[in-house]
């Protein structure tokens, strides 16, 4: 293989880069994309400048590692954009809303109806019919405070 790369270095790198790009279509994940691009860049560099195969491997390795590291850093720093931000956090969507107690808060717990769901609430003891504001949640229990 080393003899093949040494004899056909630039073309071997270009072909290897294209093969890696094709594999990215089959095995998505992004890593093969950047390695394929690094292979193509290495092949173009070997066509333009006469460099030996150790330098070609060094160029390929450095380009691959740097581009993959930058790609991972960039993708992890981007916030996930979604049209349903509360999909698995339903209780979070009620923070700041007001409700009326359906069951008095006694010994720290009571109930409110929000939409079509009865929610367990926690807070200071309050009577039925008291208006409350939802200030947080602990799992599926809404934390409330009384409104005057």
């Amino acid at each position: 293989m080393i003899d093949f790369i040494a004899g056909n270095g630039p073309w071997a790198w270009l072909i290897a880069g294209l093969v890696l790009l094709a594999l990215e279509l089959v095995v998505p994940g992004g890593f093969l994309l950047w390695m394929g691009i690094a292979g193509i860049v290495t092949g173009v560099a070997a066509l333009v400048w006469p460099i030996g195969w150790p330098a070609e491997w060094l160029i390929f390795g450095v380009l691959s590692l740097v581009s993959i590291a930058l790609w991972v850093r960039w993708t992890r720093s981007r916030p996930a954009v979604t049209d349903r931000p509360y999909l698995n956090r339903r209780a979070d969507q009620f923070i700041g809303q007001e409700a009326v107690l359906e069951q008095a808060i006694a010994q720290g717990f009571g109930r409110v109806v929000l939409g079509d769901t009865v929610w367990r609430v926690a807070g200071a003891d309050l009577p039925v019919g008291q208006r409350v504001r939802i200030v947080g949640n602990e799992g599926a229990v809404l934390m409330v405070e009384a409104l005057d």
Side-chain angles (χ1 to χ4, degrees):
M1 180 163 156
I2 292 175
D3 291 333
F4 177 76
I5 293 173
N8 302 307
W11 299 109
W13 284 112
L14 291 172
I15 291 169
L18 292 173
V19 167
L20 288 168
L21 289 177
L23 284 173
E24 177 65 29
L25 295 174
V26 178
V27 186
F31 296 100
L32 295 177
L33 169 72
W34 298 109
M35 291 177 71
I37 292 171
I40 291 172
V41 169
T42 302
V44 169
L47 278 172
V48 174
W49 300 289
I51 53 178
W53 64 268
E56 292 172 4
W57 279 102
L58 181 66
I59 292 169
F60 174 74
V62 169
L63 285 176
S64 294
L65 290 176
V66 169
S67 61
I68 289 171
L70 291 174
W71 175 74
V72 167
R73 184 176 179 190
W74 181 70
T75 55
R76 288 187 180 168
S77 68
R78 290 183 17 203
V81 178
T82 178
D83 61 339
R84 301 189 65 189
Y86 298 115
L87 181 61
N88 291 320
R89 301 178 312 153
R90 285 189 59 210
D92 290 347
Q93 69 185 336
F94 297 119
I95 295 175
Q97 290 188 12
E98 297 177 5
V100 177
L101 286 176
E102 294 293 320
Q103 178 184 0
I105 298 179
Q107 298 178 351
F109 295 100
R111 299 200 185 281
V112 296
V113 175
L114 294 168
D116 61 350
T117 306
V118 177
W119 288 85
R120 188 171 190 204
V121 296
D125 290 352
L126 297 169
V128 172
Q130 173 71 43
R131 292 195 55 79
V132 292
R133 174 175 289 122
I134 300 163
V135 293
N137 69 304
E138 290 182 10
V141 178
L142 302 175
M143 311 304 291
V144 297
E145 63 183 18
L147 290 175
D148 294 326

